[in-house]
Amino acid sequence: MRNDVRERRVAKGLSQGDLAQRLDVSRQTINSIETDRYTPSLPLAIAIARFFGVTVEEIFHADHN
Amino acid sequence: MPTTTEPTAKTSRKYLATPIFGTAMGLVYLVALSIAGSPVWGVFALAVMVAFSGALLLARRRSETVKGLLDRNDERITAIDLRATAITAFALIAVILIAFVVQIARGQSGWPYGMLGFVAGVTYVVAVIVLRVRG
């Protein structure tokens, strides 16, 4: 699932480690989400969206093809 | 809506569970081997398990993966742990089934592999039923 986590994180001037710490997950998990290798659970996706002040749909883009 | 376990005093010590279990198993080995008349091997087994537990705690400081596996507060590493456990179980069951077939082909009873396979099968079915009921 494509997402804009990296762009929004960089725009906030945060490192992957900073974001990981804010969300209480590992830096590896943030990296995997940003590179589309891991799709987060719904609670984590909501937490990420809330952190950036957007809706889940605005940051995660489901591909239906 | 918590995405992870809240860092309470209880969960902050969660990472000690595996090292404590490893050390406890070392003590069990010591007792078992002492009963069997090999206390020296028992002490060796305990030392190995204590060293393993200590190595885990040291690795936790340097490795995010080990930290995640011990702390269990990262959903991705927890999912990796579950999948790795499933792969391990699959390999183990395959070995049990092969050993059982080889044994009965040799005209033997199949013990204990038949019983191990039975336990694995029943455990799987019960787990599916319980997890299905729990949603």
Side-chain angles (χ1 to χ4, degrees):
Chain A
M1 182 179 292
R2 291 183 303 107
N3 66 76
D4 303 331
V5 173
R6 183 187 297 273
E7 290 78 4
R8 291 179 186 275
R9 173 181 60 77
V10 171
K12 272 185 172 275
L14 295 173
S15 68
Q16 288 184 340
D18 294 333
L19 182 58
Q21 199 168 14
R22 306 281 181 91
L23 296 170
D24 199 18
V25 297
S26 68
R27 188 200 56 77
Q28 292 174 356
T29 295
I30 297 299
N31 182 261
S32 293
I33 292 170
E34 288 185 354
T35 53
D36 299 338
R37 287 185 289 117
Y38 176 69
T39 302
S41 67
L42 185 56
L44 180 54
I46 291 172
I48 292 170
R50 282 184 179 169
F51 178 80
F52 289 114
V54 296
T55 63
V56 173
E57 293 92 332
E58 284 176 290
I59 196 163
F60 292 97
H61 314 290
D63 295 320
H64 293 291
N65 42 349
Chain B
M1 180 188 315
T3 57
T4 55
T5 310
E6 293 297 323
T8 61
K10 186 181 175 187
T11 57
S12 67
R13 293 194 184 89
K14 209 188 274 185
Y15 69 90
L16 290 173
T18 303
I20 288 173
F21 178 75
T23 303
M25 283 309 299
L27 288 169
V28 170
Y29 296 153
L30 172 63
V31 171
L33 286 165
S34 296
I35 291 171
S38 307
V40 175
W41 280 111
V43 171
F44 177 74
L46 174 61
V48 167
M49 294 306 288
V50 168
F52 174 71
S53 300
L56 276 180
L57 289 175
L58 288 176
R60 178 178 174 272
R61 296 180 181 178
R62 303 183 65 91
S63 165
E64 267 195 336
T65 303
V66 175
K67 186 176 189 304
L69 288 170
L70 292 180
D71 294 5
R72 306 198 67 80
N73 65 351
D74 184 292
E75 64 172 43
R76 176 176 153 273
I77 294 178
T78 301
I80 289 171
D81 181 44
L82 280 174
R83 287 164 64 189
T85 303
I87 292 168
T88 304
F90 181 82
L92 195 57
I93 290 168
V95 168
I96 288 170
L97 288 176
I98 291 168
F100 176 72
V101 170
V102 168
Q103 272 218 342
I104 59 173
R106 288 177 173 170
Q108 297 167 331
S109 68
W111 177 267
Y113 303 109
M115 178 57 72
L116 291 172
F118 175 76
V119 169
V122 169
T123 302
Y124 178 80
V125 170
V126 170
V128 167
I129 292 169
V130 170
L131 293 173
R132 184 176 174 276
V133 169
R134 289 175 59 185

